């Protein structure tokens, strides 16, 4: 801190380091005495503290400084706002408000090449026409487009609330229509395993692999539900598995919806698989299904896919499909055998039967697909 002498009178100057630059700022003219010097010292310490905390805004303290004008613009740059949004997501993960898998998806969108389109411009400079053109050029599915837009939409909502912009550019875009017109159809195909293929896969299993694969084919659990299943969840007398946990990227928690918590009826094949698994994992802890290589609980879907499923499919010589096709196989097998779609929806943990009809319609018996007026109610 210095006292600078000018023709118009002496002024106090404070110095501090900001963004690796030595900054010197003159305080407004005032009598130079013990009190003003003390106030200047307190101000300097406050500035240094906020710089250390990452909350310092140059214009709040020195609005007439050239650096204030530069910093205001820098703070409104899209890449800065995107980074701040990502930091917000990181805090939500730490507080348990966001799943790690969701964070990874947002981080991929924020740091990806596609988002660089907005680097170098301020939030105010993003025009609806540019946003519309950018979205229309995305060569991906509607789900990917919507997930990519989530961080961006949050930025504009915050900017509008903070009065950095006069309007939200998303409000001037017919987004649903635009996505429908430009998104490409998903290339994911439901391709259940045939009875012959299931037999080939089971025959290719090692003894320590077969119980889990056999149980999976006869339960249709989501990968995370399978990984999180514990011995206490099995009712041996009623042949039921209580599904109340799901593992996502190593984190075990309750299913997303109330329908995900359910009593799953187990057939003889599923119960036989559990009986065989007793010798492998019953005395090793709470989890039923373990990684055969380590005899530890599975961590992630990717671990199951890479260390068990892919080598198994190669040995079986069955054309490769991802592990989620096991769930599709379970559902389609039940429906093809004439099981009630509402029962299948309950077994799968769906909130209603709509998804079953939409996803597995071709496997459902024709009498379930007839208009309601054509169905007879038998007493």
């Amino acid at each position: 801190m210095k006292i600078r002498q000018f023709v118009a009178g002496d002024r106090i100057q404070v110095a501090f380091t900001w963004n690796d630059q030595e900054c010197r700022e003159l305080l407004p003219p005032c009598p130079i005495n013990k009190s003003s010097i003390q106030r200047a010292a307190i101000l300097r310490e406050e500035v240094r503290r906020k710089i250390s905390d990452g909350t310092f805004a140059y214009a709040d303290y020195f609005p007439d400084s050239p650096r204030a004008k530069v910093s205001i613009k820098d703070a409104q740059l899209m890449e800065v706002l995107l980074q701040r949004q990502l930091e917000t997501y990181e805090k939500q993960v730490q507080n348990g408000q966001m799943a790690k898998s969701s964070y990874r998806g947002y981080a991929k969108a924020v740091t990806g090449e596609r988002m660089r389109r907005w680097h170098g411009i301020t939030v105010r400079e993003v025009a609806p026409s540019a946003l519309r053109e950018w979205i229309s050029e995305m060569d991906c599915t509607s789900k990917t487009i919507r997930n990519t837009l989530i961080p961006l939409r949050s930025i504009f909502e915050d900017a509008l609330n903070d009065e950095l912009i006069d309007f939200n550019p998303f409000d001037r875009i017919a987004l649903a229509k635009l996505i429908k017109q430009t998104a490409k159809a998903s290339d994911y195909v439901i391709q259940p395993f045939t009875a012959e293929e299931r037999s080939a896969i089971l025959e290719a299993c090692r003894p320590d692999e077969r119980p889990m694969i056999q149980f999976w084919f006869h339960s249709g659990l989501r990968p995370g539900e399978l990984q999180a299943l514990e011995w206490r969840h099995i009712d041996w007398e009623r042949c039921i598995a209580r599904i109340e946990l799901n593992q996502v990227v190593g984190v075990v928690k309750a299913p997303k919806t109330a329908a995900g918590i359910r009593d799953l009826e187990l057939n003889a094949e599923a119960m036989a698989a559990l009986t065989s698994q007793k010798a492998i994992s019953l005395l090793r802890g709470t989890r039923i299904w373990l990684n055969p290589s380590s005899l530890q609980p599975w961590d992630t879907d990717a671990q199951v896919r890479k260390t068990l499923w892919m080598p198994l499919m190669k040995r079986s010589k069955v054309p490769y499909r991802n592990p989620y096709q096991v769930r599709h196989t379970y559902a389609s097998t039940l429906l093809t055998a004439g099981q009630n779609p509402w029962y299948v929806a309950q077994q799968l943990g769906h909130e209603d039967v709509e998804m079953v009809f939409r996803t597995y319609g071709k496997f459902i018996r024709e009498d379930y697909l007839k208009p309601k007026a054509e169905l007879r109610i038998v007493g």
Side-chain angles (χ1 to χ4, degrees), residues 51-248:
I51 291 173
S52 177
D53 293 343
T55 60
F56 176 65
Y58 217 104
D60 290 348
Y61 290 87
F62 311 106
D64 297 327
S65 170
R67 281 198 174 95
K69 296 178 175 57
V70 173
S71 64
I72 290 174
K73 182 177 180 180
D74 288 347
Q76 296 180 13
L77 286 172
M78 287 297 294
E79 59 264 40
V80 174
L81 297 178
L82 284 164
Q83 181 59 36
R84 287 181 184 171
Q85 187 63 37
L86 192 57
E87 291 169 359
T88 298
Y89 292 148
E90 290 174 354
K91 291 178 182 177
Q92 290 177 345
V93 172
Q94 294 170 3
N95 296 334
Q97 297 175 324
M98 177 180 289
K100 290 181 180 178
S101 56
S102 298
Y103 169 77
R104 283 204 301 271
Y106 294 145
K108 184 178 180 181
V110 168
T111 60
E113 184 64 30
R114 183 176 286 118
M115 202 67 76
R116 294 183 184 277
R117 162 67 176 81
W118 308 112
H119 286 198
I121 63 175
T122 65
V123 65
R124 180 176 285 273
E125 294 171 319
V126 179
S129 58
L131 194 59
R132 190 181 301 110
E133 179 183 0
W134 179 68
I135 295 172
S136 66
E137 292 175 349
M138 290 188 186
D139 184 26
C140 47
T141 64
S142 59
K143 181 179 180 180
T144 300
I145 293 176
R146 293 183 187 280
N147 289 343
T148 301
L149 295 181
I150 288 175
L152 208 57
R153 297 183 72 171
S154 295
I155 285 174
F156 286 116
E157 289 170 3
D158 291 342
L160 185 63
N161 292 333
D162 294 339
E163 299 183 347
L164 299 179
I165 54 179
D166 300 322
F167 63 89
N168 186 336
F170 276 101
D171 292 340
R172 301 191 178 185
I173 294 175
L175 187 58
K177 180 180 178 181
L178 181 61
I179 292 176
K180 185 176 181 180
Q181 290 174 340
T182 60
K184 71 176 184 179
S186 173
D187 56 2
Y188 183 79
V189 178
I190 293 177
Q191 190 178 1
F193 294 99
T194 65
E196 291 76 17
E197 288 176 328
R198 295 198 296 274
S199 295
I201 292 171
L202 290 172
E203 289 175 5
C205 287
R206 300 195 310 261
D208 56 354
E209 296 173 335
R210 177 161 181 144
M212 187 179 98
I213 301 302
Q214 180 173 315
F215 181 86
W216 202 356
F217 271 123
H218 290 277
S219 65
L221 292 179
R222 298 177 177 96
E225 294 172 340
L226 184 75
Q227 296 162 35
L229 195 62
E230 299 180 359
W231 285 109
R232 65 184 175 88
H233 295 142
I234 306 302
D235 185 329
W236 294 90
E237 292 185 4
R238 297 167 58 211
C239 297
I240 283 175
R242 179 66 175 173
I243 308 303
E244 59 184 36
L245 296 175
N246 187 40
Q247 178 166 282
V248 181

Side-chain angles (χ1 to χ4, degrees), residues 211 231 236 273-284 288:
W231 285 109
W236 294 90
L274 287 170
T275 300
S276 298
Q277 184 67 10
K278 281 184 176 181
I280 299 174
S281 65
L282 184 60
L283 300 180
R284 293 184 180 275
I288 296 178

